Amino acid sequence: MDIDIKTPQDLDKMRVAGRLAAEVLEMIGDYVQPGISTGELDRICHHHIIEKQKAIPAPLNYQGFPKSICTSVNHVICHGIPSDGKILKSGDIINIDITVIKDGFHGDTSKMFCVGDVPEHARRLIRITQECLYKAIKLVKPGITLGDIGNVIQQHGEANHYSIVREYCGHGIGRAFHEKPQVLHYGDPNTGMPVVEGMTFTIEPMLNAGSRHTRLSKKDGWTVTTKDRRLSAQWEHTLAVTRDGCEVLTLRSDESL
């Protein structure tokens, strides 16, 4: 499999793109309140990326996707399309997925937000999903395999009685939005491709409160929901493999790893 190993110069540009993507998530948080539409969140992010960052929102027109960000609310797993008709209400949970292009390189990241008063069972799903991401990131260094990453996510998620979405996964990233390899969020240790210095990819676990089975909207061809309409959560970072570990290129100021 042909993997694009990044040069130090490439990584400098990816740091910039990753920082900008993280900054959008930091900026939008204050707007995620009951009564706002996901369409308005999209417009705010679009304006920030274009006008303030002088960057490009990667999802816009990507394979026909019509908006600049993805907004996945409650039982929407991923690729939710922002809409003026989708008004957030207290108790909702939402994943906002941001990808920016700057100087030809992509930064891709997503975060879960709680809208108003969110019940504890939903907060727990969000927390465990983030723990899955962090456990996977801590593993990443040259010499492990992609199967090790999938396994630690699957073990932690399933031990907490959640299911792991299998149809959608992390991916290589750089000059292209989606590069090789695919990074599955389930699997067996010591299987799959070895991780090497200079690889850049996303890890983006999706956990469901109920069954792992998914449904793709026939109406828009993008929106992925849980088949049983139970809640889903996702977190995502872009990272670069270093000599002895990894660097999280989309780390936010509210995080410490």
Side-chain angles (χ1 to χ4, degrees):
M1 186 183 285
D2 237 4
I3 302 297
D4 182 22
I5 300 300
K6 306 304 188 291
T7 67
Q9 293 77 20
D10 294 340
L11 290 173
D12 284 343
K13 291 183 177 181
M14 288 199 68
R15 285 185 187 99
V16 174
R19 177 70 211 123
L20 292 177
E23 183 190 285
V24 180
L25 287 178
E26 293 165 354
M27 176 277 301
I28 200 62
D30 288 343
Y31 296 93
V32 182
Q33 301 289 344
I36 197 167
S37 71
T38 57
E40 182 65 13
L41 294 176
D42 176 75
R43 282 189 290 276
I44 294 166
C45 290
H46 177 89
H47 182 268
H48 186 83
I49 294 166
I50 297 286
E51 300 297 332
K52 299 277 180 66
Q53 298 183 338
K54 308 301 181 189
I56 299 166
L60 185 61
N61 300 319
Y62 178 78
Q63 296 183 359
F65 191 81
K67 298 290 182 175
S68 294
I69 67 174
C70 297
T71 50
S72 301
V73 181
N74 294 335
H75 66 285
V76 178
I77 297 169
C78 59
H79 305 158
I81 300 174
S83 162
D84 289 340
K86 182 61 181 176
I87 309 296
L88 297 183
K89 61 185 188 304
S90 183
D92 285 342
I93 62 173
I94 178 174
N95 176 274
I96 298 181
D97 194 340
I98 304 292
T99 310
V100 303
I101 309 169
K102 184 73 171 181
D103 291 334
F105 284 85
H106 292 69
D108 187 3
T109 185
S110 80
K111 176 182 176 177
M112 294 299 301
F113 295 88
C114 292
V115 184
D117 186 18
V118 169
E120 175 53 32
H121 71 88
R123 291 181 180 273
R124 181 178 185 274
L125 172 64
I126 289 170
R127 185 174 69 251
I128 298 299
T129 307
Q130 187 178 38
E131 288 173 5
C132 284
L133 173 61
Y134 286 172
K135 284 176 178 290
I137 289 171
K138 284 179 181 176
L139 274 188
V140 175
K141 63 181 180 181
I144 71 158
T145 68
L146 293 180
D148 295 332
I149 294 172
N151 183 257
V152 74
I153 291 169
Q154 182 178 9
Q155 292 298 321
H156 189 61
E158 291 179 352
N160 283 279
H161 312 293
Y162 299 122
S163 61
I164 313 298
V165 173
R166 298 191 176 211
E167 293 87 345
Y168 303 89
C169 60
H171 50 89
I173 186 170
R175 291 176 182 82
F177 198 160
H178 297 92
E179 299 178 350
K180 296 173 181 176
Q182 291 191 329
V183 182
L184 304 181
H185 303 122
Y186 63 95
D188 296 318
N190 305 310
T191 63
M193 174 180 291
V195 169
V196 299
E197 183 179 359
M199 288 174 72
T200 51
F201 53 83
T202 71
I203 304 176
E204 45 187 296
M206 291 155 256
L207 270 61
N208 295 345
S211 140
R212 71 171 181 83
H213 297 292
T214 66
R215 175 175 281 129
L216 176 63
S217 168
K218 292 178 180 175
K219 183 178 175 185
D220 62 42
W222 282 102
T223 306
V224 180
T225 58
T226 55
K227 207 165 186 181
D228 58 11
R229 311 276 294 182
R230 300 278 303 276
L231 292 179
S232 187
Q234 178 191 19
W235 295 82
E236 176 182 16
H237 272 312
T238 297
L239 49 94
V241 183
T242 61
R243 185 179 305 131
D244 55 3
C246 73
E247 178 182 353
V248 180
L249 302 177
T250 48
L251 195 69
R252 298 182 306 280
S253 58
D254 63 346
E255 292 179 290
S256 60
L257 287 175

